[in-house]
Amino acid sequence: ALYQREFGFVLQNRDILIDDYRVRAVVPGETLKTPPTPEKLGVPTASLGTTRAYFENGWQEVLAYKVEDLQPGHNIPGPAIIVQP
């Protein structure tokens, strides 16, 4: 049920690899100042070109980026893949 809610479909008879997770914590203390919003840089060139990715409605051609080529302020149209080394 959680996988269905998160991804919109359920894989039957397949192993699931968890490659990312998030942890959220609340720590008492001084509230940090929000950094300024970065200047808008627009849509960057997809440094890895395009690739195919599977979504709820089937295969789709998507843009692919190397994370080191992206900067704060870039606008990434999705769906897209961002690859970290």
Side-chain angles (χ1 to χ4, degrees), residues 21-80:
Y21 63 94
R22 296 177 190 200
V23 176
R24 195 174 285 196
V26 177
V27 180
E30 182 181 336
T31 300
L32 300 175
K33 294 181 181 177
T34 303
T37 302
E39 177 184 336
K40 293 182 180 183
L41 299 177
V43 177
T45 301
S47 50
L48 296 174
T50 61
T51 190
R52 290 169 30 98
Y54 191 82
F55 294 95
E56 182 177 352
N57 296 325
W59 290 98
Q60 186 173 342
E61 197 79 15
V62 298
L63 297 173
Y65 301 87
K66 288 193 261 182
V67 70
E68 60 266 23
D69 294 336
L70 302 176
Q71 298 177 26
H74 273 140
N75 178 16
I76 310 299

Side-chain angles (χ1 to χ4, degrees), residues 1 3-4 9-16 54:
Y3 189 91
Q4 169 75 34
F9 63 95
V10 176
L11 296 173
Q12 299 292 333
N13 300 317
R14 290 189 175 200
D15 294 331
I16 296 174
Y54 191 82

